[in-house]
Amino acid sequence: QSLTEALKGNKKAQGNWGEFQLDRLLESSGLRKGQDYDTQEAYYDEDKRLYRPDVIIHLPENRDIIVDSKVSLNDYLDADKAETQQKFLQKNLACIKAHIDELSAKEYQKLLKGRTLNYVIMFIPVESAYVAALEADNNLYDYAYRRNVILATPLSLMPVLRTVDNLWRIDSQNQNVQKIAELGGKIYD
């Protein structure tokens, strides 16, 4: 309850909490900060405007995945208590759609000049808030997808992160095999 009250009144606290949840998920996936992913990297567009995605996950072959955490709990938490629950759930949905539109407008993909996938992952740390939004609009995922935004919660993001970790392991093994082959060739020569 104390966490709920602290997060409810302060958007910055909500944002920090969402980023913390994302960071914990990244660490538990086996990815290493500063090597497999970076947080809060600064990028500038052609007009010198600053962009700071929450996380950039690095993939082999100089590719990246951008993940941005978006938390808006006020309307969702108010829906739990309110007699007019549907009104607050619609406001929660509208807030999530506004975050989708905001991420889409930032066009993070263009900032990384072809190194990233054609979409941004929007991390929603509260599974039940995402489910409530989907119940309010079962086309929400398609709405986001058409705007090059993929919605993810802790349950759906973890398999992606584990896959990235496995890609790095395979890449490392392939590099070791290549080194062994080169050394074997030198010995043979």
Side-chain angles (χ1 to χ4, degrees), residues 4-187:
T4 301
E5 292 303 317
L7 292 176
K8 239 181 119 169
N10 187 334
K11 286 189 179 197
K12 179 67 176 149
Q14 285 182 20
N16 290 344
W17 179 78
E19 290 169 18
F20 174 74
Q21 295 301 318
L22 179 56
D23 203 41
R24 284 187 49 212
L25 196 62
L26 286 159
E27 287 174 6
S28 66
S29 74
L31 297 176
R32 296 158 298 186
K33 189 173 187 174
Q35 186 171 348
D36 299 327
Y37 71 94
D38 292 306
T39 58
Q40 300 293 328
E41 290 286 309
Y43 293 91
Y44 295 90
D45 66 7
E46 303 86 34
D47 300 326
K48 304 291 184 219
R49 285 183 299 229
L50 174 66
Y51 292 87
R52 198 179 295 270
D54 291 333
V55 175
I56 297 179
I57 301 170
H58 305 298
L59 299 171
E61 299 181 15
N62 200 29
R63 302 286 288 176
D64 295 315
I65 299 173
I66 297 172
V67 182
D68 210 70
S69 177
K70 295 294 179 190
V71 182
S72 17
L73 296 174
N74 294 352
D75 296 315
Y76 174 70
L77 293 171
D78 287 342
D80 258 359
K81 303 179 217 166
E83 306 80 42
T84 56
Q85 182 179 25
Q86 197 59 35
K87 172 185 157 191
F88 286 105
L89 290 177
Q90 287 298 321
K91 287 175 76 175
N92 176 54
L93 173 65
C95 195
I96 289 174
K97 282 186 171 182
H99 285 313
I100 291 168
D101 293 339
E102 176 188 328
L103 269 181
S104 179
K106 286 183 178 179
E107 296 183 313
Y108 280 140
Q109 305 89 314
K110 290 182 179 178
L111 291 176
L112 297 181
K113 312 254 189 291
R115 286 188 358 230
T116 187
L117 305 175
N118 290 334
Y119 56 84
V120 173
I121 296 177
M122 182 173 129
F123 177 67
I124 303 171
V126 181
E127 200 87 34
S128 54
Y130 172 65
V131 170
L134 278 179
E135 287 173 356
D137 180 359
N138 61 2
N139 292 316
L140 179 63
Y141 194 86
D142 292 332
Y143 177 86
Y145 187 75
R146 286 192 308 274
R147 287 157 181 78
N148 297 321
V149 176
I150 303 295
L151 301 176
T153 62
L155 287 176
S156 61
L157 187 58
M158 182 55 87
V160 172
L161 299 176
R162 293 283 171 117
T163 300
V164 171
D165 186 47
N166 284 331
L167 287 172
W168 277 115
R169 279 195 204 131
I170 292 168
D171 185 65
S172 177
Q173 289 171 353
N174 289 342
Q175 288 178 9
N176 289 338
V177 166
Q178 188 173 2
K179 286 177 186 175
I180 291 169
E182 289 171 7
L183 289 173
K186 287 180 182 179
I187 291 172

